[in-house]
Amino acid sequence: MDKRDTLNYQRIEKAIEYIQTHFKAQPSLEEVAEVVHLSAAHFQKLFADWAGVSPKKFLQYTSIEYAKQLLRHTPANLFDTAMETGLSGTGRLHDLFVNIEGMTPGEYKDKGAALTIHFYFYESPFGHLLVASTAKGICYMVFADDEVKASHGLFNQFPKAHFIQQSVALHHEVVKAFAVKEALPGKIKLHLKGTAFQLKVWEALLKIPTGQLTTYGQIADTINSPKASRAVGTAIGSNPIAFVIPCHRVIQASGAIGGYMWGPVRKTAIIGWEAAQVERLLK
């Protein structure tokens, strides 16, 4: 991926934000294209190249009615039957083979004092990305609109670790999760700093199939803590691995998209993009 991906996403993000703000006026393709300083034909092609569908179809995927439909048709045992989506083994939508290893009590308590962490910045279809890893796996991955702020977030997570700004093979493997045309990533190993409760919530998120949505309450039920929706929301909000641990697939019971650590417009973009990839695969 190159910087063109980020530039294209910035245009798409601006278009999505405009449509969401002005949806009652039903803006035309030409009007939205003008907002991002492109001709209507160029904007239509750019959007289709990025999402795989037209802007109009994409907005359908990000509407409350579409979200409600997904929630209504989500089986009660979604997290135990993720493979029933029919997408396993076909193209890039295969469920990622992700293994979470929690940091030891010593590593947690010592704030990473014994860890060497490699970190580097990459491009993705949803903007600039910071990826960091220990010898055991990916420990941190966030969208980095501000590189300095993103770096400080990493340093604060592991204040006593030894940091090396360098690209390593583990990073390239996890960045493949964003690729539509490239080979699927292999087994992705995550080395996470979290409480037992947080790890349980993050593991539940990994079982939400691509193109599906669920709610905070359903996650709470899944981990056998039906009264802990608020705590579940807090754990989801502290997810240290953007996209791969798909906290973007958790929305409000009303069908509203809800908040997102890296911005609600980006969350909307990811949800719509994933739905478009599912449609493309099933054609």
Side-chain angles (χ1 to χ4, degrees), residues 196-213:
F197 183 82
Q198 287 174 324
L199 292 172
K200 187 184 295 186
V201 171
W202 299 338
E203 286 173 345
L205 295 178
L206 287 171
K207 296 178 183 178
I208 307 171
T210 300
Q212 293 289 334
L213 300 173

Side-chain angles (χ1 to χ4, degrees), residues 90-214:
T90 54
R92 70 160 304 281
L93 292 174
H94 185 289
D95 286 349
L96 295 174
F97 187 20
V98 180
N99 179 55
I100 289 181
E101 179 177 340
M103 294 195 175
T104 65
E107 289 170 332
Y108 194 110
K109 182 179 180 181
D110 293 342
K111 301 179 181 179
L115 297 176
T116 295
I117 296 176
H118 290 82
F119 72 100
Y120 206 72
F121 292 92
Y122 301 88
E123 305 303 327
S124 85
F126 307 101
H128 216 37
L129 194 70
L130 169 62
V131 183
S133 63
T134 69
K136 294 182 180 179
I138 303 297
C139 63
Y140 196 76
M141 186 165 88
V142 298
F143 293 109
D145 298 322
D146 183 324
E147 287 192 3
V148 174
K149 185 177 179 180
S151 299
H152 285 165
L154 171 63
F155 302 154
N156 290 337
Q157 184 82 347
F158 304 97
K160 295 184 179 181
H162 174 57
F163 292 97
I164 301 173
Q165 186 167 352
Q166 183 181 43
S167 180
V168 296
L170 277 172
H171 299 172
H172 295 287
E173 201 61 39
V174 77
V175 169
K176 283 183 184 178
F178 294 95
V180 175
K181 298 179 181 178
E182 294 181 20
L184 284 166
K187 182 176 181 180
I188 296 176
K189 295 181 180 179
L190 306 181
H191 188 205
L192 303 185
K193 177 184 176 184
T195 65
F197 183 82
Q198 287 174 324
L199 292 172
K200 187 184 295 186
V201 171
W202 299 338
E203 286 173 345
L205 295 178
L206 287 171
K207 296 178 183 178
I208 307 171
T210 300
Q212 293 289 334
L213 300 173
T214 191

Side-chain angles (χ1 to χ4, degrees), residues 223-245:
I223 63 170
N224 297 316
S225 300
K227 296 182 180 179
S229 291
R230 182 169 294 182
V232 163
T234 300
I236 291 172
S238 60
N239 170 26
I241 308 291
F243 190 80
V244 171
I245 297 181

Side-chain angles (χ1 to χ4, degrees), residues 4-50:
R4 183 176 57 184
D5 293 300
T6 293
L7 177 60
N8 286 345
Y9 171 68
Q10 289 170 348
R11 287 170 168 163
I12 299 298
E13 181 182 42
K14 188 173 182 179
I16 292 170
E17 188 171 23
Y18 182 83
I19 294 170
Q20 288 184 322
T21 303
H22 299 82
F23 74 95
K24 289 184 178 179
Q26 292 292 296
S28 65
L29 177 67
E30 289 76 14
E31 183 179 341
V32 179
E34 186 176 348
V35 170
V36 294
H37 308 294
L38 296 173
S39 68
H42 188 182
F43 173 64
Q44 178 91 349
K45 184 179 185 305
L46 173 68
F47 204 103
D49 286 346
W50 180 82

